[in-house]
């Protein structure tokens, strides 16, 4: 029976693997959303910039005071990196992120009239906003069918076999967007992140309790 299972996983069509994984997430993780705390697009943009190479838990610890001190982009734009640093000094790379936040707020105020744009290319014009950050904001706030690829998404999608041939985050993003139905792309971003954060761990994945065993190439190879 096990040999048959291995052969089934190895020979599975990519489309069938995607369908199986998505169907499982739909049934077992109906609610999947960012763990960053925010109340509006401006606050989410701040939180995502701060979350680069930092845990959501740490970001959520510093943002309440930051949001209160700078309730809108105009207030943040009028501040300085030195002042902002004091609010975020416990996150990773606080000096650079303080500069990015002030620069982002100034451009958001001067160019975008204080409104966080929904277009990924426009978002990437803001200081501190790369493709991943832009995709997060566009998908979470505006429900755009874009896929933000962080370390969790990159690892999980490759392990399962969704993006076996993808060697870069951009290749992974393009493959996932190609095969995931458009209406599920934004949610799938959270499915993969949460799965990587709590089940498909980097050093020791919890394969024995994972519900995706039937479709996972990694499980097949290491069982």
């Amino acid at each position: 029976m096990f040999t048959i299972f291995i052969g089934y996983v190895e020979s599975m069509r990519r489309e069938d693997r995607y369908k199986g994984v998505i169907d499982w997430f739909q049934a077992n993780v109906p609610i999947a959303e960012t763990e960053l705390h925010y109340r509006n697009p401006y606050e989410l943009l701040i939180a995502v910039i701060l979350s680069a190479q930092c845990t959501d838990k740490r970001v959520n610890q510093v943002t309440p005071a930051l949001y209160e001190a700078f309730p809108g982009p105009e207030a943040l734009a009028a501040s300085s990196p030195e002042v902002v640093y004091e609010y975020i000094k416990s996150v990773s790379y606080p000096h650079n992120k303080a500069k990015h936040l002030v620069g982002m707020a100034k451009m958001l105020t001067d160019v975008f009239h204080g409104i966080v744009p929904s277009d990924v290319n426009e978002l990437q014009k803001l200081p501190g906003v790369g493709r991943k950050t832009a995709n997060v904001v566009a998908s979470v706030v505006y429900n755009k069918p874009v896929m933000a690829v962080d370390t969790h998404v990159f690892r999980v999608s490759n392990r399962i076999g969704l993006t076996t041939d993808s060697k870069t985050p951009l290749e992974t993003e393009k493959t996932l967007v190609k095969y995931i139905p458009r209406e599920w792309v934004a949610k799938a971003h959270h499915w993969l992140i949460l799965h990587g954060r709590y089940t498909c761990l980097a050093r020791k994945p919890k394969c024995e309790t994972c519900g995706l065993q039937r479709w996972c190439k990694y499980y097949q190879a290491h069982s």
Side-chain angles (χ1 to χ4, degrees), residues 37 76 82 110 166 182 184 200-201 221:
H37 297 166
L76 185 54
E82 292 73 23
D110 297 339
S166 300
R182 183 181 178 89
W184 293 109
C200 194
L201 308 181

Side-chain angles (χ1 to χ4, degrees), residues 151-220:
T151 55
H152 295 304
V153 174
F154 187 80
R155 177 179 71 252
V156 171
S157 59
N158 184 66
R159 275 183 177 171
I160 294 172
L162 301 178
T163 59
T164 306
D165 300 327
S166 300
K167 300 297 187 295
T168 67
L170 182 58
E171 289 180 355
T172 296
E173 174 190 333
K174 290 181 177 179
T175 301
L176 291 173
V177 170
K178 177 180 178 180
Y179 287 97
I180 296 175
R182 183 181 178 89
E183 66 271 22
W184 293 109
V185 172
K187 196 168 189 177
H189 160 70
H190 299 300
W191 280 333
L192 294 171
I193 284 179
L194 295 174
H195 195 68
R197 188 171 291 167
Y198 298 111
T199 301
C200 194
L201 308 181
R203 294 185 179 180
K204 191 176 180 180
K206 301 177 181 179
C207 295
E208 66 281 358
T209 60
C210 179
L212 296 177
Q213 295 174 359
R214 181 180 179 184
W215 303 280
C216 182
K217 281 190 173 182
Y218 181 90
Y219 177 76
Q220 169 260 309

Side-chain angles (χ1 to χ4, degrees), residues 12 17 29 33 50-51 60 85 122 125 141 160 223:
M12 186 184 299
R17 191 185 309 279
V29 193
E33 54 194 17
L50 291 177
S51 71
N60 288 335
Y85 168 83
E122 292 293 289
K125 295 178 181 178
V141 175
I160 294 172
S223 298

Side-chain angles (χ1 to χ4, degrees), residues 76-91:
L76 185 54
S79 186
S80 68
E82 292 73 23
V83 171
V84 174
Y85 168 83
E86 294 300 321
Y87 289 89
I88 67 170
K89 57 187 177 183
S90 64
V91 306

